[in-house]
Amino acid sequence: MSTNLPIAGDQSGDHWSAHYSIRAAGWTVSDVRALFAVASRPDVVSLAGGMPFVSALPQDVVQDAVSRVLREQGAAALQYSSGQGVLKLREQILEVMELEGIQAPADNVMVTTGSQHALDLVTELLIDPGDAILVEAPSYVGAIGVFRSHRASVVHVDVDDDGLDPGDLRAKIQATRAAGHRIKFLYTIPNFQNPAGVTLSPARRSEVLEICRANDILVLEDNPYGLLYFDRPPPASLRSLDDSGVIYLGTFSKTLAPGFRVGWVLAPRAIRERLVLANEASILCPSSFSQLVISEYLASADWKAQINTFRGIYRERKLATVNALAEYLPNLRWTDPNGGFYVWVTLPEGLDTKALLPSALEAKVAYTPGTAFFADGDGHSNLRLSFCYPPAEEIREGVRRLSTVIPA
Ligand code: PMP
């Protein structure tokens, strides 16, 4: 017998809620998602979302790449392809990674649907419910969401101006093991971290790798921003220092455009083989069309010059952000990143950035409250400012508006 009545105990009126998996029952709308709806109103200066400034891409160059792919490789572009990704693009990805000192065979690369999907696949491969993942405090909200949805135990490791603190890493490994959890991997964003903007120092890179090696812990290095430096390139990537214990994630989302949804994972061969099985089970293959367009773009456009253009734009916007903070909110503390999209601001103890957000939105400025970047509810006195999208003058006005709602 079928019925459309809500089942007993269900308060939402959703007939099927008892059918949901335990994993799905834990899903919640993130603070960040709810925030985006308001922050995208045209009268609000949004310093909340990390949207790349894709208007800086020359439209004709992208359009040419799309047209040429359809004209010359239409059948392949509209067809399924390999679960590992198109070989030519994987070879071009090697050239991109070479800019960060990484040497690898194309066979160890797998193309993914953005690095968000790579995060999901790696977590699926490695995590059983209750396994621990070491994660910077604060860390990327989208990664924390993936880890949570796989029911991992997220263990935060302190971060300072030089990135992840190796002393705290040692302490957390010991404490986590003492509490009976298996630690599977360390998730780190070493360059211009999201959200803190900090970069792991060269000495700490070696130390972190040594600690992980000694403790049999894999390192998941997420590097979407490394090529978007302002004054000097970041130190050598972790993967360039260790090719057997590091899984590396890259993406075209920030150096080209996120709409293509193309990223990649570089992993030791056995892991890469498993990841291809996971990729195939999840999506059969990454988008042939997007891969071929990006491949064509890399072959025909001056993509390195385009990255330079992005660097100049983001550098100017970062300067606008820190200069406006110095002018309007000199009593706060903030990080001064040498690349990427984000400045991390610390308010005096006792102020709550989530509680202040409605007044900020009323004053027509949006930011992301610090609690979004912690799995344990920390971050009340922090907020993240994204400087990637609004022009410099708007950023300045946004920070001025912010100063009207933060008590001096
Ligand atoms: N990792 C980090 C640190 C990010 O900031 C982002 C995007 N904001 C991603 C991964 C996901 O990027 P994409 O899926 O677009 O490649």
Side-chain angles (χ1 to χ4, degrees):
M1 192 182 82
S2 79
T3 166
N4 289 324
L5 293 175
I7 43 173
D10 176 53
Q11 304 298 310
S12 66
D14 178 356
H15 173 75
W16 299 109
S17 64
H19 290 56
Y20 296 161
S21 64
I22 293 171
R23 196 179 146 188
W27 294 346
T28 50
V29 176
S30 76
D31 291 348
V32 180
R33 169 116 74 89
L35 178 64
F36 273 145
V38 185
S40 57
R41 286 194 332 229
D43 56 338
V44 173
V45 175
S46 180
L47 303 170
M51 291 196 303
F53 189 62
V54 290
S55 318
L57 281 169
Q59 279 305 308
D60 53 334
V61 175
V62 178
Q63 211 152 19
D64 281 356
V66 172
S67 310
R68 221 168 306 128
V69 163
L70 284 176
R71 211 169 44 239
E72 294 167 15
Q73 307 176 73
L78 300 176
Q79 194 49 274
Y80 292 114
S81 65
S82 113
Q84 189 178 354
V86 170
L87 175 61
K88 180 164 181 213
L89 179 63
R90 286 188 282 117
E91 286 168 353
Q92 290 165 309
I93 285 170
L94 299 183
E95 285 172 46
V96 177
M97 291 195 293
E98 249 175 59
L99 295 180
E100 305 210 52
I102 296 173
Q103 302 287 336
D107 190 43
N108 289 13
V109 175
M110 179 181 83
V111 178
T112 59
T113 305
S115 48
Q116 189 68 28
H117 192 220
L119 280 168
D120 193 48
L121 297 175
V122 170
T123 308
E124 191 173 349
L125 174 69
L126 298 173
I127 294 299
D128 288 312
D131 284 346
I133 306 174
L134 300 161
V135 176
E136 286 149 349
S139 185
Y140 170 48
V141 58
I144 292 174
V146 168
F147 300 157
R148 270 197 174 138
S149 89
H150 287 270
R151 299 165 70 204
S153 160
V154 172
V155 176
H156 278 302
V157 180
D158 291 346
V159 163
D160 61 24
D161 284 345
D162 285 331
L164 188 69
D165 173 0
D168 196 47
L169 178 61
R170 281 197 189 87
K172 292 293 162 57
I173 291 172
Q174 213 171 24
T176 306
R177 288 191 169 153
H181 290 289
R182 281 190 304 181
I183 304 170
K184 290 293 182 65
F185 62 91
L186 163 71
Y187 170 68
T188 177
I189 308 158
N191 301 324
F192 326 127
Q193 201 243 23
N194 180 3
V198 296
T199 292
L200 190 63
S201 71
R204 283 191 180 182
R205 288 180 190 231
S206 313
E207 200 178 346
V208 164
L209 287 171
E210 256 171 49
I211 295 169
C212 288
R213 224 176 285 134
N215 285 282
D216 216 19
I217 294 170
L218 267 163
V219 176
L220 180 57
E221 176 179 31
D222 188 7
N223 186 28
Y225 304 104
L227 292 175
L228 296 174
Y229 56 87
F230 302 146
D231 299 317
R232 55 190 179 283
S237 75
L238 297 173
R239 170 55 180 72
S240 73
L241 303 173
D242 180 345
D243 60 6
S244 61
V246 177
I247 301 175
Y248 176 94
L249 306 186
T251 178
F252 289 105
S253 286
K254 324 288 167 167
T255 50
L256 178 54
F260 288 115
R261 307 308 299 127
V262 174
W264 67 90
V265 45
L266 167 64
R269 193 193 160 99
I271 292 180
R272 195 278 297 149
E273 279 172 1
R274 294 264 162 186
L275 286 173
V276 171
L277 298 179
N279 209 14
E280 287 170 348
S282 173
I283 55 156
L284 297 182
C285 66
S287 160
S288 315
F289 181 71
S290 285
Q291 290 183 82
L292 291 181
V293 169
I294 292 184
S295 175
E296 180 59 33
Y297 169 82
L298 293 171
S300 59
D302 192 349
W303 57 274
K304 290 181 192 163
Q306 181 57 41
I307 292 176
N308 272 337
T309 303
F310 279 131
R311 286 174 36 210
I313 292 168
Y314 296 136
R315 181 176 185 277
E316 188 201 351
R317 292 176 181 189
K318 190 281 303 244
L319 276 173
T321 310
V322 293
N323 289 344
L325 284 166
E327 182 174 348
Y328 294 115
L329 286 160
N331 296 331
L332 306 188
R333 283 186 295 126
W334 56 87
T335 55
D336 188 351
N338 183 37
F341 289 0
Y342 311 105
V343 169
W344 183 242
V345 181
T346 306
L347 276 60
E349 206 48 55
L351 289 180
D352 183 334
T353 56
K354 208 164 162 181
L356 285 171
L357 189 58
S359 333
L361 292 173
E362 220 160 280
K364 298 189 172 26
V365 60
Y367 58 79
T368 312
T371 44
F373 307 99
F374 291 85
D376 59 7
D378 208 349
H380 285 284
S381 57
N382 298 103
L383 58 87
R384 186 192 74 177
L385 298 180
S386 305
F387 51 79
C388 43
Y389 198 74
E393 322 78 70
E394 261 184 49
I395 290 176
R396 205 177 125 77
E397 172 59 15
V399 174
R400 190 198 64 74
R401 290 178 190 176
L402 193 57
S403 72
T404 66
V405 298
I406 295 182

